[in-house]
Amino acid sequence: MNIIFMGPPGAGKGTQAERIVEYYNIPHISTGDAFRAAMKQGTPLGIEAKRYVDQGLLVPDEITIGIVRERLQEQDCEPGFLLDGFPRTISQAEALSGIVQAMNRKIDFCIDLLVDRNLLLARLTGRRICKSCGATYHVMFNSPKEEGICDKCSGELYQRSDDTEEKVGTRLDEYLNKTAPLLDYYRTKGILRQVNGEQDIDVVSANIQSVLRGLTE
Ligand code: ADP
Ligand code: ADP
Ligand code: ZN
């Protein structure tokens, strides 16, 4: 199963990806996570990416495509993969198409999570992430048992520096201008499936599962 998760920042891509990859036993490939890891380590890639990520802007295509091209060659992608937050531009989508063709593979589904803008704002500003394992929480909608502590690994929770109201505005604009046009790209290919992302986390997961099993259109 080769899957893309699309949808604006805060739609629930990461949250749903955590569950789907566990079920299908495929790697979760998040370009956002890759940039944050590189930024934390202070690698040349991280230093370059930080200039964009900190402003809520998309990192240039050449950089982003290179990361995904390398990652998809790794052994663990053999049974399939879930791309979360890639592609985000038409050039990235075209590059991805070339990469999977060269691997004699195809993308099975592009899942788009639909969530209203006001709800996205509330989700992003209340999002908290585990420093140790990367699990995602929300202060109101998906709170950990103990405030500030990860249920899974007892790691410390933190707020992403781009999850402020000001940066979120820029990120949503980037999505509308550069990423939303991709919906038509995948609709034309016949693999776009839209799922209501405003329901409970478990309901959204069940609906995604139905789509992946080919049970719903
Ligand atoms: P979210 O989960 O809120 O959608 P991500 O963690 O996926 O955000 O991405 C965080 C930031 O990383 C983006 O705002 C952007 O700067 C950068 N980024 C992630 N994926 C891409 C991509 N495919 N192309 C360009 N920039 C990206
Ligand atoms: P994305 O990866 O698309 O940016 P996340 O999965 O990180 O989105 O979710 C954004 C925030 O919204 C997180 O704090 C998460 O806990 C919360 N969230 C995700 N899905 C739901 C849902 N179905 N209902 C309520 N809150 C949700
Ligand atoms: Zn954790």
Side-chain angles (χ1 to χ4, degrees):
M1 189 70 84
N2 306 318
I3 316 165
I4 297 173
F5 272 9
M6 289 252 299
K13 303 181 295 294
T15 301
Q16 295 300 332
E18 278 178 31
R19 293 160 172 239
I20 298 295
V21 297
E22 199 169 314
Y23 185 81
Y24 286 100
N25 206 9
I26 52 178
H28 173 191
I29 303 174
S30 157
T31 38
D33 285 349
F35 289 135
R36 280 185 292 279
M39 282 160 55
K40 196 172 156 193
Q41 287 166 15
T43 64
L45 165 71
I47 292 165
E48 180 67 11
K50 193 170 162 54
R51 294 171 43 202
Y52 302 92
V53 176
D54 275 354
Q55 294 184 69
L57 298 171
L58 292 185
V59 177
D61 287 336
E62 316 81 77
I63 302 176
T64 312
I65 291 166
I67 294 176
V68 174
R69 177 176 285 119
E70 271 185 32
R71 182 65 186 85
L72 290 180
Q73 312 302 327
E74 284 177 38
Q75 190 83 44
D76 64 340
C77 294
E78 202 66 33
F81 52 81
L82 191 164
L83 285 168
D84 160 9
F86 182 93
R88 270 173 144 111
T89 64
I90 293 282
S91 332
Q92 291 179 15
E94 286 169 347
L96 175 64
S97 167
I99 295 168
V100 294
Q101 250 167 40
M103 295 165 79
N104 276 321
R105 308 266 287 268
K106 66 175 177 53
I107 302 294
D108 296 294
F109 292 109
C110 173
I111 308 275
D112 178 36
L113 295 172
L114 300 166
V115 176
D116 177 79
R117 189 180 174 109
N118 284 329
L119 187 52
L120 292 173
L121 263 169
R123 282 193 183 175
L124 290 166
T125 50
R127 172 160 64 186
R128 298 292 182 272
I129 320 262
C130 173
K131 262 184 188 163
S132 311
C133 76
T136 300
Y137 297 87
H138 190 280
V139 290
M140 280 161 64
F141 308 145
N142 180 24
S143 54
K145 290 192 189 78
E146 199 180 329
E147 195 188 318
I149 308 286
C150 178
D151 290 348
K152 295 180 184 153
C153 77
S154 301
E156 192 188 328
L157 304 187
Y158 77 101
Q159 178 170 29
R160 270 168 53 175
S161 62
D162 60 345
D163 275 347
T164 58
E165 217 167 310
E166 177 209 354
K167 309 247 171 83
V168 164
T170 310
R171 287 162 61 205
L172 292 174
D173 289 343
E174 285 280 84
Y175 173 81
L176 287 177
N177 294 329
K178 298 178 180 162
T179 310
L182 282 183
L183 296 175
D184 269 340
Y185 178 91
Y186 287 111
R187 191 176 283 121
T188 306
K189 289 186 183 288
I191 58 169
L192 180 73
R193 299 290 184 274
Q194 293 184 296
V195 172
N196 175 358
E198 296 191 354
Q199 307 170 90
D200 280 352
I201 293 177
D202 289 338
V203 176
V204 178
S205 297
N207 290 343
I208 294 174
Q209 292 276 10
S210 309
V211 167
L212 297 179
R213 290 198 201 102
L215 300 176
T216 47
E217 271 307 295

